[in-house]
Amino acid sequence: ILKTLNSWFWWENIWMPINCTWADFVDRDGLVFPKPHQLYATIPYAFVLLVIRFFSERYVAIPLAKALGIKNVRRVKPQPNPVLESYFRECSRHPSQSDIKGLAKKCNCTVHLVEKWFRRRRNLEIPTVLQKFKEAFWRFSFYLTSSIVGFIFLYDKPWFYDIWQTWVGYPFQTLLPSQYWYYMAEIGFYWSLIFTLGIDIRRKASDFMAHVVHHLAAIGLMSGSWCGNYVRLGTLVIFVHDTADFWLEAAKMFNYARWEKTCNMLFIIFAIAFFITRMILLPFWILRATLYQPTYYSTTPVIAYFLFNGMLLTLQGLHLYWGYLIFKILKRFVFLK
C-alpha cells in the first residue's frame, strides 16, 4: 500500500509539464536541481534554530528587556494539591461557589484557601510580559534577518524585477546555493514554530487555529514548490511575507515595554507594509504569475498548478482575516485614541 501511495504521489503528471520525467531532473551540464529527499534536513535545521532561539532569548532578549524596563515578575505557586489540580485541568478553571464548597470539604480546608489556590493557579497560566517579549524578540530577529538576507539573495536576480522571468526555462532551472539555504532556513523555522506551539504563549482558539493552518500551509507550499522546482516563485513568496512581519514583532516588543509612541509608529509602519505586501503584491503580482502566466507556457496545467494555487489562496484568505483585524485596530487607534 505504501509503495502504491508513493508511486501515486510522485507521478510525473502531478508535478511537471507533459513529456518531462524525474530522470530529466538528474544534475548534469552545470544544472543542479532541488531533490525531495533534501527536505528531510529541515527537521534537524529546526532543532538548530530552537537552540539558537534558546541562547538568543537568554543572553540577548532578557538583558534587552531589562534595559527597556521590563521586570521579571515571579508569581507565587499554589501548594501542591492533586484534587484541586485534577479539577482545574479536567473540569473548570473558574469553579462555581457550590463547587468550591464541595472541594473545600473534600480537601478538608476553608473556602477561602480553595479560592486562593484557584486564583494563584490561574495566574500561572497567564504568560508574563517577559515571556511575551522573548517570543516577540525571537520572531523579530528571524524575520528581520530573513528579510535582509532575502533581499541580498534576490536583488540582482532578473525575476525580482520581471515576474515573467520566473517561468523562463522552466522546469530546467538550476538551483542556486542561496536558494537552497533560504528554503532550508524558512521551512526549518516553521517546523520549529509547530514544535513549540504547546509551550509558546497561549492564544485564543481562533488565533491558534489560524496559526496552525498558516504554518502547515507555509510548510506544504514551500515543500511542494521545492519538489516541483518552483523555487524562483517560492523565494519571492517568502520575501513578500517576511518583510512585513518584523515590524509587527518590533511593535509588540515596545508595547510590552510601554513605549507607546514608538509602538504606535511601528504598528502604523507594519500596517502599511502588510497592506502593500499581502493585499497588493501577493494577489496582483505573485498570484497573477501563478494563476495566469503558466497558461502561456502550457495549455494543459499539471495537478500541482491547482494544489499550489489552492494553498496560496488559503494563505490569502488568512491575510484577509488578519487584514480585517488590523483594520479594526487602526480604526480604534484613529477614532478612539
Side-chain angles (χ1 to χ4, degrees):
I1 292 173
L2 289 175
K3 281 185 177 180
T4 305
L5 291 174
N6 187 59
S7 63
W8 287 352
F9 185 79
W10 295 114
W11 183 37
E12 281 91 346
N13 289 1
I14 292 178
W15 298 97
M16 58 192 70
I18 295 173
N19 300 324
C20 286
T21 66
W22 289 114
D24 297 321
F25 281 79
V26 177
D27 296 350
R28 65 185 187 279
D29 304 327
L31 288 173
V32 179
F33 299 105
K35 300 164 187 65
H37 69 81
Q38 292 171 319
L39 293 173
Y40 290 123
T42 59
I43 302 297
Y45 288 149
F47 286 103
V48 171
L49 286 171
L50 288 175
V51 172
I52 295 171
R53 174 180 178 175
F54 172 78
F55 284 104
S56 65
E57 286 184 352
R58 184 164 187 173
Y59 296 107
V60 182
I62 292 176
L64 180 60
K66 289 180 180 177
L68 292 172
I70 298 173
K71 296 178 181 178
N72 186 16
V73 178
R74 292 187 177 181
R75 295 199 172 111
V76 180
K77 289 184 178 181
Q79 291 291 327
N81 190 311
V83 174
L84 298 181
E85 183 67 30
S86 175
Y87 187 92
F88 182 87
R89 290 183 177 277
E90 297 172 12
C91 299
S92 174
R93 298 181 181 186
H94 297 272
S96 63
Q97 200 62 34
S98 60
D99 288 337
I100 288 174
K101 289 178 181 177
L103 289 167
K105 285 182 181 179
K106 220 175 195 181
C107 299
N108 196 24
C109 61
T110 64
V111 169
H112 174 70
L113 285 176
V114 173
E115 289 175 339
K116 188 177 180 180
W117 189 96
F118 273 93
R119 189 164 56 249
R120 287 182 173 177
R121 185 64 182 83
R122 284 193 298 268
N123 285 340
L124 287 180
E125 297 288 306
I126 302 170
T128 64
V129 176
L130 184 61
Q131 285 176 301
K132 293 179 180 180
F133 183 89
K134 288 193 297 182
E135 186 176 317
F137 173 82
W138 166 242
R139 292 173 186 254
F140 166 79
S141 302
F142 181 85
Y143 289 135
L144 178 62
T145 304
S146 174
S147 299
I148 294 170
V149 170
F151 180 76
I152 293 170
F153 286 165
L154 288 168
Y155 85 97
D156 61 343
K157 307 298 185 296
W159 53 87
F160 189 59
Y161 307 96
D162 181 8
I163 197 75
W164 285 91
Q165 293 293 324
T166 57
W167 294 106
V168 173
Y170 181 81
F172 304 112
Q173 298 169 342
T174 191
L175 176 70
L176 303 174
S178 59
Q179 292 171 329
Y180 172 84
W181 289 110
Y182 200 24
Y183 258 74
M184 293 298 111
E186 285 286 335
I187 298 176
F189 176 70
Y190 282 105
W191 275 125
S192 73
L193 292 183
I194 288 178
F195 295 158
T196 57
L197 275 173
I199 59 175
D200 280 340
I201 294 167
R202 191 186 295 267
R203 292 178 171 85
K204 289 187 292 185
S206 58
D207 286 346
F208 179 82
M209 286 307 302
H211 276 78
V212 171
V213 171
H214 176 272
H215 298 343
L216 291 176
I219 291 171
L221 188 60
M222 287 186 283
S223 300
S225 66
W226 179 266
C227 295
N229 200 17
Y230 300 104
V231 174
R232 291 183 180 180
L233 272 167
T235 51
L236 293 178
V237 173
I238 293 169
F239 181 74
V240 163
H241 275 75
D242 288 352
T243 47
D245 287 343
F246 69 86
W247 293 107
L248 174 63
E249 302 304 330
K252 287 182 186 177
M253 288 161 59
F254 283 101
N255 179 48
Y256 301 143
R258 298 187 182 277
W259 289 37
E260 289 186 15
K261 290 183 179 179
T262 307
C263 170
N264 293 342
M265 181 184 68
L266 288 169
F267 186 81
I268 290 171
I269 295 172
F270 158 72
I272 294 169
F274 182 92
F275 283 107
I276 291 173
T277 56
R278 311 288 179 90
M279 301 299 180
I280 298 174
L281 289 179
L282 189 66
F284 298 109
W285 185 49
I286 290 176
L287 278 177
R288 179 173 171 268
T290 61
L291 287 166
Y292 167 68
Q293 291 178 0
T295 58
Y296 278 81
Y297 293 91
S298 176
T299 54
T300 54
V302 294
I303 297 173
Y305 168 87
F306 302 100
L307 294 175
F308 296 150
N309 281 302
M311 285 187 280
L312 278 171
L313 290 170
T314 300
L315 286 179
Q316 189 57 33
L318 287 171
H319 298 155
L320 292 172
Y321 167 68
W322 283 323
Y324 167 72
L325 297 180
I326 293 165
F327 178 76
K328 281 178 66 178
I329 294 171
L330 285 175
K331 187 178 175 183
R332 288 170 57 189
F333 175 72
V334 172
F335 294 106
L336 303 176
K337 302 299 181 185

